Amino acid sequence: MKLNRREFVGTGVAAASTLAAPIVHAAGHGKPKVVVVGGGAGGATAARYIAKDSEGEIDVTLIEPSRSYYTCFFSNLYIGGFRELDSIEHSYGTLAAEYGINVVHDWATGVDRDAKTVALAGGGSVPYDRLVLSPGIDFVEGSVAGWDLNAQNAMPHAYKGGSQTELLKAQIEAMPEGGTFVMVAPPNPYRCPPGPYERISMVAHVLNTSNPTAKIIIADPKESFSKQALFEEGWQKHYGGMITRIGPDFGGGNVTVDPAAMTVDIDGETVNADVVNVIPAQKAGHICDAAGLTEGNWAPVVPQTMQSRMDENIHILGDATNQGDMPKSGYSANSQAKVAAMAVRGALTGSRVFPAKFSNTCWSLIETNDGVKVGATYEATDEKIAKVDGFVSQTGEDAALRKATYEESIGWYEGITTDMFG
Amino acid sequence: MILSVLGGVALVLGTAYGWTARDHRDAELAALTDRLAQVEARSASLSEQAAQVSELEAKLSELEAALVAAQEEAEAARQAALAPTPVIESPAESEPEEDTVVAVADGLEFGDPEQGKAVFGQCSFCHKIGQGAQDGIGPHLNGIFGRRAGAHEGFKYSEDMSMMGADGLTWNLETLNAYLENPKALVSRTRMNFAGLEEEQDRADILAYLRQFSASPQNIPEAAPTAQAREVELPDDILAIVGDTDYGEYLSSECKTCHQQDGTDEGIPSITQWPTEDFVIAMHAYKQKLRPHPVMQMMAGRLSAEEIAALAAYFGNLD
Ligand SMILES: Cc1cc2nc3c(=O)[nH]c(=O)nc-3n(C[C@H](O)[C@H](O)[C@H](O)COP(=O)(O)OP(=O)(O)OC[C@H]3O[C@@H](n4cnc5c(N)ncnc54)[C@H](O)[C@@H]3O)c2cc1C
């Protein structure tokens, strides 16, 4: 379709309301420009879909500081020894070479929403007609007493991919015989609801073979957690006695850590630990705040298009958003990215816009060939992304089904990473 | 022995929950009950055979020990005598015996075609066989024995399958047995969504069944044995919907989080290039919760008949 802007204004069904006035292109003429900040589950998918489906009609720039993206998904399986590190590492080569995306390895430091430009740490700025932000999470300072980012080498969070995950794995493997692993679990809402508990399973898997007298303690501020019955059943079955979870009733939410002494104080009781995995409370990636797009810790969005509620020229995806019922997951971010990509193309090139459909499934591995999953479908209502239907694996399922579920997760991983990076 | 037979049942049950389940649940249940009865009957005779096998195994290790002893003796004798002629009588005596035993253990044989027909139930959503069988999601299997891999005209194979054929892979008892045991071990990026038949007996049986349709066209039995009722009965107007490919392309983005567009299949089946009607029927079977997979029931559950047709049109025409 070769419409120019004037012809297509108002033709996009869902996006029509957002196109109150014709928009003049960033450079004043030439192709419409889309800038994507963050090359993760949301950003890489959005960049790829916009470039692929606009067939060269839109200029796409992806700003991402790292040359390699290490997925957080399956990073627990790496800790458990089920995956190699390089199998969860992905580069941006195909996005640049095959999809013609201009990949800029730099940090975005700010957004001038009036001038519609993104400032780069390395100097200069990039103009946009539409901006897509998918920066993931940052941590809420002071949410775990005694811990800050300077302590992340002593007490890693391993909640952003790559070196933190490697560090945590190395620390677990170096634990003394009969040692103690403590996880400080995060409060809601946070990235990947089953993530901490899948991690516990993988740590138990490692220790159960290499260090069976070791202990695992979870200090948890939450009453309950995702797939709890399934995890607890699996822990009992595979790792009986190794894992103790201290919930809020017993002071699991009242934690102070001392990274120098390697102690964790749980409701007045001091635990000497060998490895401490602190997963702090979370908030939208800093750039959202810097651009003035947050309310509280997260960036509110319009469900139908993933546009910021504060700026119609900016779409926000993934963990950083406050959108409603979807969990913060890679699958969700990928799903939202496709809705946003369609809306962006509709607005900039007049391509057809269909009703938004969202979905999510999160697989978790409890022990070798013991996979479980939880999922749901969602639709856009005026006030939020609302859950339509869902399912969760059942306790007591047979081994063949659990194995098939695990194998499915491997297929999903291949599928989603291909969908992100080409 | 008995354990491994029960393992076979678990495999079949497992498949019923998994991606490859395709039959109407009732039919499947009937087949399973049937099969269970057959397996139970067989397990008795198998435990007998198991006793015989352990007897044979004991004999084999005796013979092996004798062989080693004989070889050592021969070596010692040769060294002692420093004679140029090796003493080979003893090993030569035991060798034929040993060969026979090995041949029995490794030998591939056709099993029972009637049993094979039941096992083939798992394959029949994708593969048709018998008179008038047409290609579907997979190629029809008449004349599969002796056919070169990836060479049946008119069917679009995965790149790997075509390459293997070009490299000379031809279907016979041995190659089909290997392929059925672990499809991806033989043809790594085959589009066939099937984990493999673990049980040697199942493979022998199914190969006996397939063999009946391969000798020459005249040998194909009159009644088309896999002519099946459709998995779901859909009104003609639903089957007649012409899918909107553009809409299908958007909707497909949701499928592609798991199903890879190029048909690569690892734990999640390929859905590209399916005949439109098969796609529509499969999706409606999930929508009506006749097929068991919870993710697919959920995904299909909220798709309208138009949306299913749109997806079928889009995926059916993918290169
Ligand atoms: C242990 C663990 C296990 C998980 N398992 C699963 C799972 O099994 N399934 C699942 O679906 N999800 C899983 N997740 C969740 C998943 O990783 C996240 O939800 C997903 O990555 C979110 O995507 P995103 O695009 O919002 O952020 P990210 O994928 O984190 O991407 C953000 C990117 O933005 C970049 N960035 C940030 N700020 C800037 C800036 N200012 N300028 C430029 N670039 C910037 C970052 O470098 C990063 O590459 C897991 C997470 C964890 C921690």
Side-chain angles (χ1 to χ4, degrees), chain A residues 334 338 352 359 408 411 416, chain B residues 244 253-254 257 266 293 307:
Chain A
N334 169 269
K338 293 166 192 172
R352 288 170 74 185
S359 54
E408 213 172 87
I416 192 173
Chain B
D244 172 345
S253 69
E254 187 161 49
T257 303
E266 284 159 282
H293 198 274
E307 289 171 332

Side-chain angles (χ1 to χ4, degrees), chain B:
Chain B
M1 263 309 194
I2 294 167
L3 269 182
S4 69
V5 171
L6 292 177
V9 178
L11 175 79
V12 174
L13 289 169
T15 319
Y17 285 107
W19 288 105
T20 50
R22 64 198 53 77
D23 290 342
H24 189 291
R25 263 200 307 209
D26 289 350
E28 210 160 50
L29 200 63
L32 283 170
T33 321
D34 217 49
R35 181 138 169 67
L36 197 65
Q38 290 163 358
V39 168
E40 270 165 3
R42 251 167 56 202
S43 73
S45 90
L46 280 172
S47 34
E48 254 181 67
Q49 284 177 29
Q52 287 170 14
V53 166
S54 29
E55 237 182 88
L56 279 171
E57 273 169 346
K59 206 166 155 194
L60 174 62
S61 40
E62 255 178 62
L63 284 168
E64 269 168 356
L67 176 64
V68 171
Q71 274 170 342
E72 274 168 2
E73 210 176 276
E75 185 59 22
R78 187 174 58 182
Q79 297 229 342
L82 283 173
T85 333
V87 184
I88 53 163
E89 285 86 359
S90 307
E93 258 170 51
S94 7
E95 255 160 24
E97 287 249 32
E98 190 205 32
D99 272 347
T100 332
V101 176
V102 169
V104 170
D106 277 354
L108 281 175
E109 271 170 32
F110 287 111
D112 174 358
E114 274 306 304
Q115 300 272 9
K117 186 177 172 183
V119 183
F120 188 75
Q122 308 176 46
C123 318
S124 61
F125 186 73
C126 298
H127 292 289
K128 305 300 173 208
I129 195 165
Q131 205 166 49
Q134 299 286 321
D135 294 341
I137 293 166
H140 77 69
L141 297 178
N142 292 336
I144 184 70
F145 278 83
R147 196 198 275 172
R148 190 174 267 248
H152 168 53
E153 219 166 291
F155 188 79
K156 259 189 154 174
Y157 290 90
S158 66
E159 229 170 80
D160 272 28
M161 184 61 86
S162 307
M163 238 157 60
M164 290 291 281
D167 287 350
L169 177 67
T170 297
W171 296 123
N172 57 34
L173 183 59
E174 193 185 355
T175 54
L176 280 171
N177 180 61
Y179 189 57
L180 286 182
E181 182 173 6
N182 185 347
K184 287 188 186 67
L186 188 68
V187 183
S188 44
R189 288 165 79 94
T190 176
R191 211 173 277 137
M192 185 163 82
N193 305 325
F194 188 60
L197 281 173
E198 220 168 344
E199 290 298 305
E200 192 176 330
Q201 190 62 50
D202 285 342
R203 299 196 301 274
D205 291 345
I206 210 171
L207 289 171
Y209 176 68
L210 293 180
R211 184 70 185 81
Q212 296 181 319
F213 304 96
S214 268
S216 60
Q218 302 91 281
N219 285 6
I220 295 173
E222 283 285 309
T226 60
Q228 290 186 320
R230 275 198 202 121
E231 201 178 357
V232 251
E233 272 315 317
L234 295 175
D236 287 345
D237 56 333
I238 286 192
L239 288 171
I241 299 172
V242 178
D244 172 345
T245 330
D246 279 356
Y247 191 22
E249 181 168 13
Y250 164 64
L251 292 170
S252 79
S253 69
E254 187 161 49
C255 315
K256 288 177 195 159
T257 303
C258 299
H259 297 276
Q260 298 194 49
Q261 168 160 350
D262 69 0
T264 307
D265 140 39
E266 284 159 282
I268 303 251
S270 157
I271 53 171
T272 53
Q273 289 172 8
W274 283 27
T276 317
E277 189 173 310
D278 290 343
F279 195 104
V280 169
I281 287 175
M283 289 299 279
H284 281 276
Y286 284 122
K287 191 175 165 67
Q288 297 178 21
K289 301 204 191 301
L290 295 172
R291 284 193 180 199
H293 198 274
V295 179
M296 288 309 302
Q297 287 182 353
M298 180 181 82
M299 291 296 188
R302 61 145 172 194
L303 292 173
S304 66
E306 280 73 23
E307 289 171 332
I308 288 175
L311 281 168
Y314 171 74
F315 277 112
N317 293 316
L318 268 183
D319 284 331

